[in-house]
Amino acid sequence: MPSKQKNEKFFAHMVFFQLMDLSEHAIDTFLDACVEYLSGHPGQVHFSVGLRAVDIARDVSDTSFDVSMHIIFESKKKYDEYAASESHEAFITATAGMSTGRRVLDSYIERAVTGL
């Protein structure tokens, strides 16, 4: 893991999407758009996108999403640059109408036990 200044923290940006169409083609198209437009930005130390674990049916499990995206940035500044990027805007345009909603969960990473 890269060394951090004491006043800098990794920034986690997690987005959980509900899709309009759950066909295999629509899901693949959405996942491909996430990778194409949202991965590889400067300052990203982790990017992943996946599907909800539908085989988990615990009463504490949130089932109100279909696709999860996880991005960790080396700093809030790098996240801000990503959020204002043309590629991020292009993702919003390319996926317009594909999801009925999304939940965005942002946090600062205080302690990382394993490498990012």
Side-chain angles (χ1 to χ4, degrees):
M1 178 180 348
S3 63
K4 303 296 287 171
Q5 300 264 339
K6 189 167 185 130
N7 61 348
E8 293 180 340
K9 294 180 180 167
F10 287 103
F11 187 83
H13 178 60
M14 311 300 170
V15 185
F16 300 85
F17 299 93
Q18 292 174 305
L19 299 184
M20 296 277 292
D21 181 352
L22 294 176
S23 69
E24 187 175 335
H25 174 72
I27 291 169
D28 284 344
T29 299
F30 191 83
L31 294 174
D32 289 345
C34 288
V35 172
E36 178 180 348
Y37 296 107
L38 304 178
S39 68
H41 287 263
Q44 283 184 350
V45 296
H46 174 84
F47 176 90
S48 61
V49 61
L51 302 177
R52 181 172 61 85
V54 296
D55 57 325
I56 303 298
R58 297 178 58 219
D59 60 348
V60 297
S61 296
D62 185 339
T63 60
S64 64
F65 71 98
D66 303 302
V67 172
S68 62
M69 184 187 66
H70 317 94
I71 307 175
I72 299 179
F73 294 90
E74 63 188 32
S75 66
K76 167 81 168 43
K77 179 181 182 220
K78 290 299 183 183
Y79 162 76
D80 290 339
E81 292 169 5
Y82 152 87
S85 71
E86 289 181 21
S87 185
H88 185 260
E89 290 300 318
F91 170 78
I92 294 168
T93 301
T95 60
M98 293 183 77
S99 68
T100 61
R102 69 186 175 281
R103 293 181 59 212
V104 179
L105 305 172
D106 294 323
S107 61
Y108 292 100
I109 296 176
E110 298 292 333
R111 291 167 181 80
V113 176
T114 60
L116 295 173

